[in-house]
Amino acid sequence: MHTGEMRGDGWMAPPPEEAAEEGYDVRYGFADEEQAWLVCTYGGRKRNKGRFHDGHEWNQSMSDPVADWWMKLAPKVGVCTVQVREIKSRSPGKSMWTVTATCKQPSPE
């Protein structure tokens, strides 16, 4: 997630992860005056290992992504939940990870 000018210095530090079945969720919040961006980077050339916990490897990443895709979020979007899930393959030791973002207006309190 990113705020401010496109390709500027507004990268958001991820908030704490919440455990979910076969993965984790991360919830981001934005101030009303901030322009928010969903940024997908992909095509990295080298896999960085994560940490193992309960038989799963968490927080692995790819370095040197070769492409990114920027999506400008509507001004009223105040909350985004990023869901990361592991899909097991039929081949032993193989899996694929998916990422889905759901963004909406914050609930009135």
Side-chain angles (χ1 to χ4, degrees), residues 68-92:
D68 57 356
W69 177 67
W70 289 69
M71 173 171 252
K72 187 175 187 177
L73 299 177
K76 294 187 180 206
V77 167
V79 179
C80 286
T81 301
V82 177
Q83 298 175 315
V84 180
R85 299 293 184 268
E86 181 181 24
I87 300 172
K88 301 274 187 184
S89 171
R90 291 182 181 168
S91 302

PDB file of all heavy atoms in Angstrom, residues 68-92:
ATOM      1  N   ASP A  68       5.395  -3.536 -11.866  1.00  0.00           N
ATOM      2  CA  ASP A  68       4.445  -3.161 -10.819  1.00  0.00           C
ATOM      3  C   ASP A  68       3.210  -2.570 -11.481  1.00  0.00           C
ATOM      4  O   ASP A  68       3.236  -2.110 -12.615  1.00  0.00           O
ATOM      5  CB  ASP A  68       5.047  -2.217  -9.787  1.00  0.00           C
ATOM      6  CG  ASP A  68       5.623  -0.935 -10.361  1.00  0.00           C
ATOM      7  OD1 ASP A  68       5.633  -0.765 -11.591  1.00  0.00           O
ATOM      8  OD2 ASP A  68       6.064  -0.091  -9.570  1.00  0.00           O
ATOM      9  N   TRP A  69       2.125  -2.643 -10.752  1.00  0.00           N
ATOM     10  CA  TRP A  69       0.827  -2.184 -11.236  1.00  0.00           C
ATOM     11  C   TRP A  69       0.232  -1.318 -10.145  1.00  0.00           C
ATOM     12  O   TRP A  69       0.059  -1.763  -9.011  1.00  0.00           O
ATOM     13  CB  TRP A  69      -0.046  -3.404 -11.538  1.00  0.00           C
ATOM     14  CG  TRP A  69      -1.431  -3.100 -11.968  1.00  0.00           C
ATOM     15  CD1 TRP A  69      -1.817  -2.495 -13.139  1.00  0.00           C
ATOM     16  CD2 TRP A  69      -2.627  -3.402 -11.250  1.00  0.00           C
ATOM     17  NE1 TRP A  69      -3.180  -2.410 -13.175  1.00  0.00           N
ATOM     18  CE2 TRP A  69      -3.705  -2.957 -12.033  1.00  0.00           C
ATOM     19  CE3 TRP A  69      -2.900  -4.010 -10.021  1.00  0.00           C
ATOM     20  CZ2 TRP A  69      -5.026  -3.091 -11.627  1.00  0.00           C
ATOM     21  CZ3 TRP A  69      -4.198  -4.144  -9.621  1.00  0.00           C
ATOM     22  CH2 TRP A  69      -5.248  -3.686 -10.425  1.00  0.00           C
ATOM     23  N   TRP A  70      -0.060  -0.056 -10.463  1.00  0.00           N
ATOM     24  CA  TRP A  70      -0.582   0.912  -9.506  1.00  0.00           C
ATOM     25  C   TRP A  70      -2.067   1.121  -9.758  1.00  0.00           C
ATOM     26  O   TRP A  70      -2.469   1.413 -10.879  1.00  0.00           O
ATOM     27  CB  TRP A  70       0.141   2.239  -9.652  1.00  0.00           C
ATOM     28  CG  TRP A  70       1.556   2.201  -9.164  1.00  0.00           C
ATOM     29  CD1 TRP A  70       2.590   1.521  -9.734  1.00  0.00           C
ATOM     30  CD2 TRP A  70       2.080   2.866  -8.030  1.00  0.00           C
ATOM     31  NE1 TRP A  70       3.732   1.717  -9.012  1.00  0.00           N
ATOM     32  CE2 TRP A  70       3.456   2.550  -7.969  1.00  0.00           C
ATOM     33  CE3 TRP A  70       1.535   3.699  -7.073  1.00  0.00           C
ATOM     34  CZ2 TRP A  70       4.278   3.042  -6.965  1.00  0.00           C
ATOM     35  CZ3 TRP A  70       2.359   4.192  -6.072  1.00  0.00           C
ATOM     36  CH2 TRP A  70       3.707   3.860  -6.020  1.00  0.00           C
ATOM     37  N   MET A  71      -2.867   1.005  -8.714  1.00  0.00           N
ATOM     38  CA  MET A  71      -4.296   1.283  -8.823  1.00  0.00           C
ATOM     39  C   MET A  71      -4.642   2.390  -7.839  1.00  0.00           C
ATOM     40  O   MET A  71      -4.470   2.242  -6.623  1.00  0.00           O
ATOM     41  CB  MET A  71      -5.130   0.048  -8.524  1.00  0.00           C
ATOM     42  CG  MET A  71      -6.612   0.335  -8.471  1.00  0.00           C
ATOM     43  SD  MET A  71      -7.567  -1.149  -8.364  1.00  0.00           S
ATOM     44  CE  MET A  71      -8.236  -1.141  -9.999  1.00  0.00           C
ATOM     45  N   LYS A  72      -5.116   3.501  -8.385  1.00  0.00           N
ATOM     46  CA  LYS A  72      -5.508   4.645  -7.563  1.00  0.00           C
ATOM     47  C   LYS A  72      -6.843   4.321  -6.912  1.00  0.00           C
ATOM     48  O   LYS A  72      -7.805   3.954  -7.591  1.00  0.00           O
ATOM     49  CB  LYS A  72      -5.629   5.877  -8.450  1.00  0.00           C
ATOM     50  CG  LYS A  72      -5.857   7.158  -7.714  1.00  0.00           C
ATOM     51  CD  LYS A  72      -5.833   8.319  -8.704  1.00  0.00           C
ATOM     52  CE  LYS A  72      -5.888   9.645  -8.000  1.00  0.00           C
ATOM     53  NZ  LYS A  72      -5.803  10.756  -8.966  1.00  0.00           N
ATOM     54  N   LEU A  73      -6.901   4.437  -5.595  1.00  0.00           N
ATOM     55  CA  LEU A  73      -8.134   4.131  -4.870  1.00  0.00           C
ATOM     56  C   LEU A  73      -9.011   5.381  -4.795  1.00  0.00           C
ATOM     57  O   LEU A  73      -8.510   6.513  -4.766  1.00  0.00           O
ATOM     58  CB  LEU A  73      -7.806   3.623  -3.471  1.00  0.00           C
ATOM     59  CG  LEU A  73      -6.962   2.336  -3.438  1.00  0.00           C
ATOM     60  CD1 LEU A  73      -6.642   1.959  -2.002  1.00  0.00           C
ATOM     61  CD2 LEU A  73      -7.663   1.198  -4.153  1.00  0.00           C
ATOM     62  N   ALA A  74     -10.304   5.178  -4.762  1.00  0.00           N
ATOM     63  CA  ALA A  74     -11.264   6.276  -4.678  1.00  0.00           C
ATOM     64  C   ALA A  74     -11.019   7.088  -3.407  1.00  0.00           C
ATOM     65  O   ALA A  74     -10.592   6.545  -2.385  1.00  0.00           O
ATOM     66  CB  ALA A  74     -12.689   5.732  -4.696  1.00  0.00           C
ATOM     67  N   PRO A  75     -11.312   8.400  -3.443  1.00  0.00           N
ATOM     68  CA  PRO A  75     -11.048   9.251  -2.279  1.00  0.00           C
ATOM     69  C   PRO A  75     -11.767   8.807  -1.010  1.00  0.00           C
ATOM     70  O   PRO A  75     -11.286   9.057   0.085  1.00  0.00           O
ATOM     71  CB  PRO A  75     -11.546  10.631  -2.714  1.00  0.00           C
ATOM     72  CG  PRO A  75     -11.582  10.592  -4.195  1.00  0.00           C
ATOM     73  CD  PRO A  75     -11.812   9.165  -4.581  1.00  0.00           C
ATOM     74  N   LYS A  76     -12.908   8.162  -1.130  1.00  0.00           N
ATOM     75  CA  LYS A  76     -13.660   7.768   0.064  1.00  0.00           C
ATOM     76  C   LYS A  76     -13.196   6.444   0.660  1.00  0.00           C
ATOM     77  O   LYS A  76     -13.668   6.035   1.710  1.00  0.00           O
ATOM     78  CB  LYS A  76     -15.145   7.707  -0.261  1.00  0.00           C
ATOM     79  CG  LYS A  76     -15.697   9.077  -0.583  1.00  0.00           C
ATOM     80  CD  LYS A  76     -17.182   9.062  -0.742  1.00  0.00           C
ATOM     81  CE  LYS A  76     -17.630  10.468  -1.065  1.00  0.00           C
ATOM     82  NZ  LYS A  76     -18.967  10.744  -0.687  1.00  0.00           N
ATOM     83  N   VAL A  77     -12.287   5.748  -0.027  1.00  0.00           N
ATOM     84  CA  VAL A  77     -11.760   4.501   0.530  1.00  0.00           C
ATOM     85  C   VAL A  77     -10.949   4.840   1.761  1.00  0.00           C
ATOM     86  O   VAL A  77     -10.068   5.687   1.725  1.00  0.00           O
ATOM     87  CB  VAL A  77     -10.881   3.749  -0.498  1.00  0.00           C
ATOM     88  CG1 VAL A  77     -10.094   2.638   0.175  1.00  0.00           C
ATOM     89  CG2 VAL A  77     -11.729   3.188  -1.615  1.00  0.00           C
ATOM     90  N   GLY A  78     -11.272   4.210   2.850  1.00  0.00           N
ATOM     91  CA  GLY A  78     -10.561   4.489   4.089  1.00  0.00           C
ATOM     92  C   GLY A  78      -9.921   3.262   4.702  1.00  0.00           C
ATOM     93  O   GLY A  78      -9.057   3.362   5.553  1.00  0.00           O
ATOM     94  N   VAL A  79     -10.336   2.067   4.228  1.00  0.00           N
ATOM     95  CA  VAL A  79      -9.861   0.818   4.818  1.00  0.00           C
ATOM     96  C   VAL A  79      -9.639  -0.205   3.711  1.00  0.00           C
ATOM     97  O   VAL A  79     -10.492  -0.366   2.834  1.00  0.00           O
ATOM     98  CB  VAL A  79     -10.897   0.258   5.818  1.00  0.00           C
ATOM     99  CG1 VAL A  79     -10.433  -1.054   6.409  1.00  0.00           C
ATOM    100  CG2 VAL A  79     -11.191   1.262   6.918  1.00  0.00           C
ATOM    101  N   CYS A  80      -8.501  -0.878   3.739  1.00  0.00           N
ATOM    102  CA  CYS A  80      -8.242  -1.991   2.820  1.00  0.00           C
ATOM    103  C   CYS A  80      -7.763  -3.189   3.627  1.00  0.00           C
ATOM    104  O   CYS A  80      -6.921  -3.049   4.519  1.00  0.00           O
ATOM    105  CB  CYS A  80      -7.170  -1.651   1.792  1.00  0.00           C
ATOM    106  SG  CYS A  80      -7.710  -0.530   0.502  1.00  0.00           S
ATOM    107  N   THR A  81      -8.306  -4.349   3.310  1.00  0.00           N
ATOM    108  CA  THR A  81      -7.855  -5.595   3.902  1.00  0.00           C
ATOM    109  C   THR A  81      -7.180  -6.410   2.816  1.00  0.00           C
ATOM    110  O   THR A  81      -7.775  -6.682   1.777  1.00  0.00           O
ATOM    111  CB  THR A  81      -9.029  -6.397   4.493  1.00  0.00           C
ATOM    112  OG1 THR A  81      -9.674  -5.601   5.489  1.00  0.00           O
ATOM    113  CG2 THR A  81      -8.550  -7.697   5.121  1.00  0.00           C
ATOM    114  N   VAL A  82      -5.922  -6.753   3.043  1.00  0.00           N
ATOM    115  CA  VAL A  82      -5.154  -7.569   2.112  1.00  0.00           C
ATOM    116  C   VAL A  82      -5.128  -8.992   2.675  1.00  0.00           C
ATOM    117  O   VAL A  82      -4.711  -9.197   3.812  1.00  0.00           O
ATOM    118  CB  VAL A  82      -3.724  -7.014   1.932  1.00  0.00           C
ATOM    119  CG1 VAL A  82      -2.912  -7.908   1.014  1.00  0.00           C
ATOM    120  CG2 VAL A  82      -3.775  -5.586   1.400  1.00  0.00           C
ATOM    121  N   GLN A  83      -5.612  -9.952   1.875  1.00  0.00           N
ATOM    122  CA  GLN A  83      -5.676 -11.352   2.295  1.00  0.00           C
ATOM    123  C   GLN A  83      -4.644 -12.153   1.510  1.00  0.00           C
ATOM    124  O   GLN A  83      -4.676 -12.168   0.277  1.00  0.00           O
ATOM    125  CB  GLN A  83      -7.062 -11.932   2.044  1.00  0.00           C
ATOM    126  CG  GLN A  83      -8.142 -11.225   2.831  1.00  0.00           C
ATOM    127  CD  GLN A  83      -9.519 -11.754   2.471  1.00  0.00           C
ATOM    128  OE1 GLN A  83      -9.836 -11.928   1.306  1.00  0.00           O
ATOM    129  NE2 GLN A  83     -10.320 -12.010   3.485  1.00  0.00           N
ATOM    130  N   VAL A  84      -3.729 -12.811   2.218  1.00  0.00           N
ATOM    131  CA  VAL A  84      -2.699 -13.647   1.602  1.00  0.00           C
ATOM    132  C   VAL A  84      -3.024 -15.094   1.960  1.00  0.00           C
ATOM    133  O   VAL A  84      -3.204 -15.423   3.137  1.00  0.00           O
ATOM    134  CB  VAL A  84      -1.302 -13.261   2.133  1.00  0.00           C
ATOM    135  CG1 VAL A  84      -0.220 -14.122   1.504  1.00  0.00           C
ATOM    136  CG2 VAL A  84      -1.029 -11.782   1.890  1.00  0.00           C
ATOM    137  N   ARG A  85      -3.141 -15.935   0.924  1.00  0.00           N
ATOM    138  CA  ARG A  85      -3.526 -17.330   1.142  1.00  0.00           C
ATOM    139  C   ARG A  85      -2.610 -18.270   0.371  1.00  0.00           C
ATOM    140  O   ARG A  85      -2.182 -17.965  -0.741  1.00  0.00           O
ATOM    141  CB  ARG A  85      -4.968 -17.584   0.689  1.00  0.00           C
ATOM    142  CG  ARG A  85      -6.003 -16.761   1.429  1.00  0.00           C
ATOM    143  CD  ARG A  85      -6.099 -17.166   2.893  1.00  0.00           C
ATOM    144  NE  ARG A  85      -7.137 -16.463   3.591  1.00  0.00           N
ATOM    145  CZ  ARG A  85      -6.986 -15.330   4.261  1.00  0.00           C
ATOM    146  NH1 ARG A  85      -5.813 -14.760   4.314  1.00  0.00           N
ATOM    147  NH2 ARG A  85      -7.993 -14.771   4.888  1.00  0.00           N
ATOM    148  N   GLU A  86      -2.362 -19.439   0.961  1.00  0.00           N
ATOM    149  CA  GLU A  86      -1.574 -20.483   0.316  1.00  0.00           C
ATOM    150  C   GLU A  86      -2.515 -21.528  -0.276  1.00  0.00           C
ATOM    151  O   GLU A  86      -3.415 -22.010   0.398  1.00  0.00           O
ATOM    152  CB  GLU A  86      -0.640 -21.149   1.328  1.00  0.00           C
ATOM    153  CG  GLU A  86       0.223 -22.230   0.715  1.00  0.00           C
ATOM    154  CD  GLU A  86       1.125 -22.904   1.725  1.00  0.00           C
ATOM    155  OE1 GLU A  86       0.795 -22.889   2.940  1.00  0.00           O
ATOM    156  OE2 GLU A  86       2.142 -23.467   1.315  1.00  0.00           O
ATOM    157  N   ILE A  87      -2.287 -21.861  -1.543  1.00  0.00           N
ATOM    158  CA  ILE A  87      -3.055 -22.915  -2.204  1.00  0.00           C
ATOM    159  C   ILE A  87      -2.092 -24.070  -2.449  1.00  0.00           C
ATOM    160  O   ILE A  87      -1.112 -23.927  -3.188  1.00  0.00           O
ATOM    161  CB  ILE A  87      -3.654 -22.416  -3.536  1.00  0.00           C
ATOM    162  CG1 ILE A  87      -4.590 -21.237  -3.260  1.00  0.00           C
ATOM    163  CG2 ILE A  87      -4.373 -23.556  -4.253  1.00  0.00           C
ATOM    164  CD1 ILE A  87      -5.069 -20.545  -4.506  1.00  0.00           C
ATOM    165  N   LYS A  88      -2.353 -25.186  -1.815  1.00  0.00           N
ATOM    166  CA  LYS A  88      -1.480 -26.356  -1.926  1.00  0.00           C
ATOM    167  C   LYS A  88      -1.640 -27.005  -3.292  1.00  0.00           C
ATOM    168  O   LYS A  88      -2.730 -27.103  -3.831  1.00  0.00           O
ATOM    169  CB  LYS A  88      -1.825 -27.380  -0.848  1.00  0.00           C
ATOM    170  CG  LYS A  88      -1.691 -26.869   0.562  1.00  0.00           C
ATOM    171  CD  LYS A  88      -0.295 -27.011   1.053  1.00  0.00           C
ATOM    172  CE  LYS A  88      -0.258 -26.640   2.525  1.00  0.00           C
ATOM    173  NZ  LYS A  88       1.041 -26.655   3.062  1.00  0.00           N
ATOM    174  N   SER A  89      -0.535 -27.475  -3.821  1.00  0.00           N
ATOM    175  CA  SER A  89      -0.523 -28.190  -5.092  1.00  0.00           C
ATOM    176  C   SER A  89      -0.644 -29.683  -4.820  1.00  0.00           C
ATOM    177  O   SER A  89      -0.394 -30.156  -3.710  1.00  0.00           O
ATOM    178  CB  SER A  89       0.785 -27.903  -5.829  1.00  0.00           C
ATOM    179  OG  SER A  89       0.915 -28.724  -6.947  1.00  0.00           O
ATOM    180  N   ARG A  90      -1.003 -30.424  -5.842  1.00  0.00           N
ATOM    181  CA  ARG A  90      -1.034 -31.891  -5.706  1.00  0.00           C
ATOM    182  C   ARG A  90       0.376 -32.456  -5.635  1.00  0.00           C
ATOM    183  O   ARG A  90       0.576 -33.554  -5.151  1.00  0.00           O
ATOM    184  CB  ARG A  90      -1.794 -32.501  -6.873  1.00  0.00           C
ATOM    185  CG  ARG A  90      -3.257 -32.177  -6.824  1.00  0.00           C
ATOM    186  CD  ARG A  90      -4.000 -32.830  -7.941  1.00  0.00           C
ATOM    187  NE  ARG A  90      -5.407 -32.453  -7.855  1.00  0.00           N
ATOM    188  CZ  ARG A  90      -6.284 -32.670  -8.792  1.00  0.00           C
ATOM    189  NH1 ARG A  90      -5.918 -33.273  -9.915  1.00  0.00           N
ATOM    190  NH2 ARG A  90      -7.529 -32.298  -8.635  1.00  0.00           N
ATOM    191  N   SER A  91       1.345 -31.702  -6.132  1.00  0.00           N
ATOM    192  CA  SER A  91       2.749 -32.112  -6.057  1.00  0.00           C
ATOM    193  C   SER A  91       3.266 -31.843  -4.654  1.00  0.00           C
ATOM    194  O   SER A  91       3.106 -30.737  -4.141  1.00  0.00           O
ATOM    195  CB  SER A  91       3.590 -31.329  -7.057  1.00  0.00           C
ATOM    196  OG  SER A  91       3.118 -31.507  -8.369  1.00  0.00           O
ATOM    197  N   PRO A  92       3.882 -32.824  -4.026  1.00  0.00           N
ATOM    198  CA  PRO A  92       4.392 -32.619  -2.664  1.00  0.00           C
ATOM    199  C   PRO A  92       5.388 -31.464  -2.595  1.00  0.00           C
ATOM    200  O   PRO A  92       6.247 -31.313  -3.456  1.00  0.00           O
ATOM    201  CB  PRO A  92       5.082 -33.948  -2.331  1.00  0.00           C
ATOM    202  CG  PRO A  92       4.534 -34.931  -3.313  1.00  0.00           C
ATOM    203  CD  PRO A  92       4.150 -34.155  -4.532  1.00  0.00           C
TER     204      PRO A  92
END
